Amino acid sequence: MRIAVAAHEGQTDKTGRPYFEHCERVARLISDEDGKIVAYLHDVVEKGAGWSIERLRKEGFSSSVLSAVDALTMRRDEPEIAFIDRLAVNPLAVSIKQIDIADNIWQLGRKNVDPEKYCHALQMLFRATSRSQ
């Protein structure tokens, strides 16, 4: 939680609220400890200045947490389908991403914005996970 708060300081979610609240909403829907940790960290590398998987490793996170956070981190210039296919093979990343997308859809609903982009991402994730099983 401490890392997510620091990494997202000054950032806001789609509703204009502190970005960390998005991380909290995702984490609240996860029951296991590793899942909660990944939920808090799921956007730290992608959106937090100065954060990397290596820096998280130095903070002492387990390989399963690091693997899931890495799977949830979209690479620069990575096509969305490649990103979804890459994360689809990590079950922990898939569960966090499903909740993440659902929360993004919820946020857009509060702003009366069409969530088509996120609905499409959810469909791509469903197809990718079906292929990877």
Side-chain angles (χ1 to χ4, degrees):
M1 284 174 44
R2 173 186 56 79
I3 290 170
V5 167
H8 298 302
E9 185 177 352
Q11 297 174 358
T12 56
D13 68 12
K14 290 163 186 52
T15 66
R17 300 286 306 154
Y19 195 86
F20 178 73
E21 291 179 12
H22 163 69
C23 301
E24 283 185 308
R25 287 189 301 270
V26 174
R28 260 194 307 251
L29 297 174
I30 302 293
S31 58
D32 67 282
E33 186 175 345
D34 276 359
K36 284 192 179 296
I37 293 168
V38 173
Y40 282 111
L41 299 176
H42 79 275
D43 278 334
V44 164
V45 174
E46 191 174 319
K47 294 180 167 107
W51 286 96
S52 65
I53 295 299
E54 189 52 39
R55 185 172 175 193
L56 291 174
R57 184 182 325 282
K58 289 177 183 173
E59 291 285 336
F61 292 103
S62 70
S63 60
S64 62
V65 165
L66 295 171
S67 178
V69 172
D70 187 47
L72 287 159
T73 302
M74 191 170 191
R75 313 291 193 255
R76 175 172 277 161
D77 299 323
E78 182 177 33
E80 186 177 21
I81 189 66
F83 166 60
I84 295 290
D85 284 344
R86 184 169 53 76
L87 85 81
V89 299
N90 184 308
L92 180 52
V94 168
S95 13
I96 300 301
K97 191 63 178 173
Q98 289 170 330
I99 297 168
D100 174 47
I101 292 170
D103 188 72
N104 283 310
I105 291 169
W106 173 82
Q107 290 178 60
L108 292 176
R110 293 183 54 92
K111 302 278 290 184
N112 292 320
V113 175
D114 184 357
E116 180 182 349
K117 169 187 171 185
Y118 292 99
C119 293
H120 178 69
L122 203 51
Q123 290 170 344
M124 287 179 11
L125 181 59
F126 177 75
R127 285 192 298 268
T129 55
S130 295
R131 286 192 306 269
S132 71
Q133 292 178 355

